């Protein structure tokens, strides 16, 4: 196809959108509504992902170590066995009865944990810090009763590693990897919370996919109906072009251009309207709930999504309708 022909046909596509401007405006309006709904859901999903990410970081696990307290108050003696050549202290504990002998060894174990793939951060928690945290969570009566724990040698808590993960999907696998490390005794975790977080994320992802699919189908139907109206207004012109030997591609191109123009215009309007709505909504949300995902972080993603949907809907919708009509016209000419 020659360049002049392409220019003519593209111009015809733009002219069609103006000639049938009432139908074009109606189609753009419905498409904008679909895209705005889709954009709102995308932004909600991104904000939900950010909130879930914050929950994931807060959903930490505590890995307690096999240190002196573990040997004294736990099952250390029965698990490691004693080296009878070593001198026992006043409590009958020998160095071979436990794995972690000092803070440097505990921090070295924390470093090993941080090297695991799904581990986001590791914080060393000494037995003294753990005791302070436990006492802080007690009632006033309980604090008075457990004052003896503050005395030297009375702290039953082992040192621990406070661990947060990157992806809750691999929660159980990561816990198992941590448990295998030499020097780790028990792990306290909220596996039920991890399952809930994962279920929410999966639910949002599934809902997003279904919504995009449904709105894509609606967009196709809308563009197709607009192209159908244009096609019937130019029915005689199409028949004449078909009669003089015009190719299907030559006849089809203006309608494809018309569909793409409708899609692109709808995308640009939807982006602007969504920005205005999101800006108003976030002013109130931030003051109540805190930080949200800035529109700028999602702006280009949404614009490309809208343009992609508009262009694809325009191309597919126009091609389906005009191809169906051209096949019908072809069969009629063949019969003649």
């Amino acid at each position: 196809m020659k360049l002049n022909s392409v220019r003519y046909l593209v111009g015809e596509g733009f002219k069609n959108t103006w000639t049938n401007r009432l139908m074009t405006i109606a189609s753009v309006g419905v498409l904008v509504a679909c895209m705005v709904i889709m954009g709102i859901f995308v932004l909600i999903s991104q904000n939900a992902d950010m909130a879930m990410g914050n929950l994931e970081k807060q959903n930490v696990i505590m890995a307690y170590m096999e240190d002196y307290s573990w040997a004294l108050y736990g099952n250390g003696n029965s698990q490691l066995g004693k080296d009878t050549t070593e001198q026992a202290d006043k409590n009958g504990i020998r160095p071979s009865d436990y794995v972690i002998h000092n803070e440097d060894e505990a921090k070295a174990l924390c470093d090993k944990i941080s090297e695991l793939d799904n581990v986001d951060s590791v914080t060393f928690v000494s037995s003294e810090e753990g005791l302070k945290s436990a006492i802080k969570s007690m009632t006033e009566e309980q604090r008075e009763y457990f004052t003896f724990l503050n005395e030297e040698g009375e702290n039953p808590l082992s040192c621990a590693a406070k661990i947060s993960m990157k992806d809750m999907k691999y929660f159980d696998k990561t816990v198992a990897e941590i448990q295998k490390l030499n020097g780790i005794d028990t792990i306290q975790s909220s596996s039920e919370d991890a399952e809930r977080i994962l279920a929410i994320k999966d639910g949002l992802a599934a809902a997003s996919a279904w919504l995009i699919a449904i709105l894509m189908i609606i967009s196709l139907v809308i563009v197709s109906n607009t192209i159908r109206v244009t096609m019937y207004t130019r029915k005689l012109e199409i028949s004449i072009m078909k009669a003089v030997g015009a190719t299907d591609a030559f006849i089809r191109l203006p309608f494809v251009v018309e569909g793409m123009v409708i899609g692109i215009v709808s995308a640009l309007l939807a982006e602007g309207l969504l920005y205005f709505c999101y800006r108003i909504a976030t002013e109130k949300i931030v003051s109540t709930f805190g930080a949200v995902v800035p529109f700028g972080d999602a702006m280009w993603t949404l614009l490309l999504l809208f343009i992609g949907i508009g262009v694809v809907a325009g191309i597919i919708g126009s091609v389906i309708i005009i191809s169906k009509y051209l096949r019908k016209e072809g069969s009629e000419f063949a019969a003649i």
Side-chain angles (χ1 to χ4, degrees):
M1 189 179 296
K2 295 181 179 180
L3 182 59
N4 289 336
S5 298
V6 173
R7 288 176 179 173
Y8 166 76
L9 294 174
V10 170
E12 285 294 304
F14 279 93
K15 187 171 72 174
N16 288 343
T17 59
W18 177 251
T19 302
N20 301 285
R21 52 188 173 275
L22 291 178
M23 192 63 188
T24 298
I25 291 171
S27 298
V28 167
V30 179
L31 275 176
V32 167
C34 290
M35 290 178 181
V36 168
I37 293 172
M38 189 183 302
I40 289 172
F41 204 86
V42 169
L43 289 169
I44 290 174
S45 297
Q46 289 193 348
N47 280 283
D49 283 342
M50 185 177 73
M52 289 298 104
N54 292 334
L55 284 177
E56 287 178 354
K57 292 179 181 179
Q58 294 173 12
N59 188 32
V60 298
I61 65 173
M62 297 296 294
Y64 292 94
M65 302 181 185
E66 297 175 345
D67 59 2
Y68 184 86
S69 296
W70 168 78
L72 181 60
Y73 296 101
N75 299 317
N77 294 341
S78 62
Q79 290 188 24
L80 288 181
K82 295 181 179 180
D83 183 352
T84 56
T85 63
E86 293 178 330
Q87 182 68 34
D89 64 8
K90 62 180 181 179
N91 295 316
I93 304 298
R94 294 178 171 84
S96 61
D97 293 335
Y98 52 99
V99 179
I100 305 300
H101 299 91
N102 51 56
E103 188 172 307
D104 289 337
E105 291 182 357
K107 290 182 177 179
L109 181 55
C110 289
D111 291 338
K112 287 184 180 180
I113 296 173
S114 65
E115 292 173 0
L116 297 176
D117 291 338
N118 193 41
V119 172
D120 184 45
S121 65
V122 181
T123 304
F124 171 70
V125 180
S126 66
S127 57
E128 292 77 14
E129 291 173 335
L131 180 61
K132 288 179 182 179
S133 178
I135 291 176
K136 189 176 180 180
S137 64
M138 294 179 183
T139 62
E140 190 63 34
E141 292 79 8
Q142 289 173 332
R143 291 175 188 172
E144 292 178 0
Y145 180 79
F146 288 105
T147 52
F148 69 91
L149 294 176
N150 293 317
E151 298 177 7
E152 186 177 354
E154 297 298 332
N155 184 357
L157 297 180
S158 298
C159 58
K162 186 178 180 181
I163 307 162
S164 63
M165 299 186 189
K166 297 176 182 176
D167 193 339
M168 302 307 289
K169 187 184 297 184
Y170 305 105
F171 183 86
D172 292 336
K173 179 183 177 182
T174 307
V175 170
E177 290 176 346
I178 296 170
Q179 188 70 69
K180 291 178 182 179
L181 294 175
N182 186 34
I184 296 296
D185 175 28
T186 58
I187 295 178
Q188 288 186 356
S189 64
S190 300
S191 57
E192 292 181 359
D193 292 341
E195 291 174 0
R196 291 192 190 100
I197 292 172
L198 187 59
I200 292 172
K201 291 181 72 173
D202 290 344
L204 286 172
S208 299
W210 276 105
L211 181 68
I212 291 174
I214 292 170
L215 293 179
M216 186 67 184
I217 293 172
I218 294 173
S219 301
L220 282 172
V221 173
I222 293 166
V223 174
S224 298
N225 287 334
T226 304
I227 300 301
R228 183 181 283 110
V229 171
T230 305
M231 181 185 65
Y232 280 115
T233 59
R234 300 183 63 194
K235 187 174 182 180
L236 179 59
E237 183 182 345
I238 294 172
S239 299
I240 293 172
M241 286 192 293
K242 192 75 174 177
V244 297
T247 63
D248 288 351
F250 186 90
I251 299 172
R252 188 184 293 120
L253 185 57
F255 297 98
V256 173
V257 171
E258 181 183 357
M260 292 175 63
V261 169
I262 291 172
I264 293 172
V265 171
S266 300
L268 295 175
L269 291 175
E271 181 83 359
L273 183 60
L274 187 61
Y275 168 75
F276 177 75
C277 295
Y278 190 70
R279 182 178 178 181
I280 294 176
T282 51
E283 287 178 356
K284 296 182 178 180
I285 294 173
V286 169
S287 61
T288 305
F289 298 101
V292 296
V293 174
F295 187 81
D297 291 354
M299 180 177 66
W300 294 110
T301 301
L302 288 171
L303 183 60
L304 291 175
L305 175 65
F306 291 162
I307 291 176
I309 290 173
V311 170
V312 170
I315 292 174
I316 295 176
S318 57
V319 167
I320 290 174
I321 293 301
I322 194 64
S323 296
K324 183 178 179 181
Y325 181 74
L326 289 175
R327 284 196 299 270
K328 181 181 177 182
E329 282 291 306
S331 61
E332 289 177 354
F333 281 111
I336 294 173

